[in-house]
Amino acid sequence: MSKELFFNNFRSFISKYKKVVIVSHVNPDGDAIGSSLAFYFFLQKFGIDVKIIIPNDFPSFLAWMPGIENILVFDKNSEKGVEYLNAADLICYIDFNHPSRTGLVHNDLCHCSKTPKMLIDHHRDTDYSQFEAYLSELETSSTAELVAELIQSQGFDKYLDDKIAICLLVGIMTDTGSFAHSIYHPETFEICGKLISPTVDYQLIHSKIYNTFSENRLRLLGYSISERMVTLDEYHTAYIYLTKADLERFNYQVGDTEGVVNFPLMIDNIKMAVLITERQGVIRFSFRSKGDFSVHEVARAHFNGGGHTNAAGGTLECSIEQAIEKLLAVLPQYKALLNK
Ligand code: 5GP
Ligand code: MN
């Protein structure tokens, strides 16, 4: 289904549904929350009863966002979440494309196999056969940009308001690292230009996202770089590892390691950065790269994950020592590509 077809059919498609549940991915980021909330406010304008479910809590730097109090956090209130899912006549996947990305919600989503599904997302390897309608573009900064395009196609003059504009800007800003990467076309800037207004202050939004660290979070970032970063010049790679004890030392809160993985890429000859964190029972990997080296391939082939060319994630069930060993064992096969 092309973008144009999706836009042209959207009104008649959505008018068939009265109770819509938006679901986004586990460890929701600014794009997951921003695009879900913007779509939520947009659908409400059609008189639709809309709910948003996220598998686990959002980071505190998003707590100020308009409408955030209406999001149901599944691992805190799964009974209500199941109720919402069972009552839905349409389930929208926002910023992910496979139910395995929904953590605890996964099982209950599978029980809703007969409920029509819609998708708005920018990840690859989508099985389109499961969706009644989809807006799926790989070469787009963020899901928020897709939602912005959708709303624009229906008329910004009719449907855009400050709350929607703020949520969309948060999604685009965070998924592009403040417009530093994942920009594939000038339309990203053009649409942001239309979202900004005297009452939608880009600098203020940016400050609310990036200048609201706790002292512990900033110290954890400093510690990650000075004490826990290992550079492997031979592979143009740097990794940072954080143990459970490290996180506890800095009183880790959800979202505190967000962005840490980007810092090693600031080193001139580093092409891939990896953050390895010890979480409850699993090891979480975050990958970032510069240029055309695909961390999606690395995450998919060896770390049960995936993502985009320059940003991906994955998990392993092992100790942190084994996780580092695994990374070191995998690197030689990418040596040529990393030295290109
Ligand atoms: P992050 O490192 O910020 O957690 O994730 C970076 C990107 O990779 C995001 O776009 C996210 O959607 C994707 N991603 C993260 N973890 C996974 C995973 O386990 N599986 C897949 N398929 N994608 C992931
Ligand atoms: Mn995204």
Side-chain angles (χ1 to χ4, degrees):
M1 174 179 282
S2 73
K3 205 152 89 168
E4 286 66 35
L5 190 64
F6 182 86
F7 292 162
N8 290 339
N9 292 345
F10 183 76
R11 273 306 291 270
S12 63
F13 172 77
I14 208 67
S15 67
K16 291 188 283 190
Y17 303 105
K18 294 192 170 58
K19 280 178 178 282
V20 175
V21 171
I22 293 170
V23 179
S24 198
H25 60 77
V26 71
N27 304 325
D29 54 13
D31 189 31
I33 300 292
S35 54
S36 293
L37 283 170
F39 191 52
Y40 164 88
F41 288 128
F42 176 57
L43 288 186
Q44 283 186 335
K45 295 180 190 242
F46 297 89
I48 293 170
D49 173 3
V50 200
K51 311 282 189 213
I52 306 176
I53 298 177
I54 52 174
N56 59 337
D57 218 346
F58 50 81
S60 62
F61 61 82
L62 301 174
W64 60 272
M65 287 181 65
I68 195 107
E69 65 284 358
N70 301 321
I71 295 182
L72 184 120
V73 183
F74 198 84
D75 71 1
K76 286 184 181 165
N77 195 351
S78 57
E79 248 173 62
K80 187 141 237 163
V82 172
E83 220 175 88
Y84 286 176
L85 286 169
N86 290 336
D89 54 18
L90 178 71
I91 297 175
C92 297
Y93 288 14
I94 301 286
D95 198 37
F96 72 99
N97 57 10
H98 195 273
S100 63
R101 294 277 296 136
T102 61
L104 285 179
V105 187
H106 189 170
N107 266 341
D108 296 292
L109 266 184
C110 293
H111 290 147
C112 300
S113 58
K114 296 222 167 66
T115 312
K117 311 269 184 333
M118 196 195 103
L119 170 96
I120 307 181
D121 181 46
H122 65 140
H123 293 92
R124 64 180 96 197
D125 302 332
T126 304
D127 169 11
Y128 296 112
S129 66
Q130 51 186 319
F131 302 107
E132 302 291 308
Y134 53 84
L135 174 55
S136 164
E137 297 278 319
L138 293 186
E139 305 243 307
T140 296
S141 67
S142 52
T143 300
E145 184 177 335
L146 291 173
V147 174
E149 279 191 76
L150 165 65
I151 300 175
Q152 180 172 244
S153 75
Q154 310 301 303
F156 268 167
D157 49 339
K158 257 200 268 175
Y159 298 110
L160 186 67
D161 60 31
D162 285 2
K163 286 190 292 193
I164 290 178
I166 291 167
C167 294
L168 293 172
L169 282 167
V170 167
I172 301 171
M173 179 193 300
T174 52
D175 253 25
T176 59
S178 307
F179 302 95
H181 55 73
S182 316
I183 311 269
Y184 301 96
H185 43 234
E187 286 83 0
T188 307
F189 291 102
E190 285 164 20
I191 212 147
C192 287
K194 293 178 187 165
L195 299 176
I196 293 163
S197 70
T199 48
V200 177
D201 179 343
Y202 174 76
Q203 296 181 87
L204 183 63
I205 297 167
H206 193 277
S207 194
K208 284 182 173 180
I209 297 282
Y210 293 105
N211 297 340
T212 49
F213 277 40
S214 65
E215 181 180 336
N216 269 321
R217 182 176 171 192
L218 191 63
R219 290 196 187 279
L220 173 63
L221 169 63
Y223 174 83
S224 303
I225 296 168
S226 73
E227 305 298 318
R228 290 289 190 241
M229 183 173 78
V230 179
T231 54
L232 305 162
D233 291 340
E234 186 184 358
Y235 301 113
H236 299 281
T237 293
Y239 69 88
I240 291 173
Y241 65 98
L242 291 170
T243 65
K244 212 159 152 265
D246 291 334
L247 297 176
E248 279 163 10
R249 175 175 165 189
F250 293 95
N251 189 25
Y252 171 81
Q253 304 293 312
V254 176
D256 280 359
T257 54
E258 201 80 19
V260 171
V261 66
N262 296 308
F263 284 88
L265 288 184
M266 294 172 81
I267 303 171
D268 188 27
N269 67 353
I270 295 297
K271 274 201 189 149
M272 173 163 73
V274 188
L275 174 68
I276 306 171
T277 24
E278 193 177 8
R279 294 283 152 89
Q280 254 104 342
V282 295
I283 301 293
R284 174 90 205 131
F285 287 81
S286 244
F287 300 90
R288 297 291 185 273
S289 66
K290 291 194 289 222
D292 55 14
F293 182 77
S294 172
V295 285
H296 162 76
E297 289 305 326
V298 178
R300 192 188 53 79
H302 308 284
F303 299 95
N304 303 313
H308 310 277
T309 303
N310 296 129
T315 45
L316 286 184
E317 285 183 31
C318 64
S319 69
I320 193 140
E321 292 82 10
Q322 288 166 327
I324 295 171
E325 275 172 32
K326 171 81 179 182
L327 175 70
L328 296 178
V330 158
L331 281 173
Q333 57 186 284
Y334 294 99
K335 188 171 178 179
L337 283 174
L338 287 162
N339 276 283
K340 237 175 49 179

